[in-house]
Amino acid sequence: MNHELYSVYDTKSELYTLPFFVNNKAMAIRYFSNWVNDRTHTFGLNPEDYILFHLGTYDDTLATITQDKIESIGNGLQFKINEENQ
């Protein structure tokens, strides 16, 4: 089975977080969105500093990682929910 590999880039430290695996892009966006909207999470404190990236695909039957290109999914502010609408 293939799993999608994602990481969050911190523009201030200029480092990527440890990668995480999810089934698809929608799940990665949901996780990232939850993190940037959580005021107790590091990403939620400064969402403008973080960018979600798709790194590649992991095949758990062959133990291989395939990476065509690193793709930016979006900055934390793009996934921030307007608190007035909650």
Side-chain angles (χ1 to χ4, degrees):
M1 178 178 189
N2 286 334
H3 305 275
E4 300 303 313
L5 182 61
Y6 289 85
S7 179
V8 176
Y9 182 70
D10 179 341
T11 62
K12 295 295 190 249
S13 69
E14 299 181 342
L15 297 170
Y16 288 86
T17 62
L18 290 176
F20 63 97
F21 299 91
V22 292
N23 292 333
N24 56 49
K25 182 178 179 178
M27 288 178 70
I29 290 172
R30 180 173 61 198
Y31 289 163
F32 187 57
S33 181
N34 286 342
W35 295 330
V36 299
N37 285 289
D38 180 351
R39 289 183 181 171
T40 65
H41 194 284
T42 301
F43 300 164
L45 296 174
N46 302 99
E48 67 280 1
D49 293 343
Y50 299 98
I51 305 167
L52 178 64
F53 279 90
H54 179 253
L55 303 180
T57 303
Y58 172 68
D59 183 330
D60 65 6
T61 59
L62 300 174
T64 57
I65 296 175
T66 305
Q67 182 182 51
D68 296 325
K69 66 174 183 165
I70 297 175
E71 175 189 6
S72 172
I73 306 302
N75 178 278
L77 288 179
Q78 292 174 255
F79 300 100
K80 185 78 174 151
I81 296 171
N82 185 345
E83 294 172 4
E84 294 174 6
N85 295 335
Q86 290 186 358

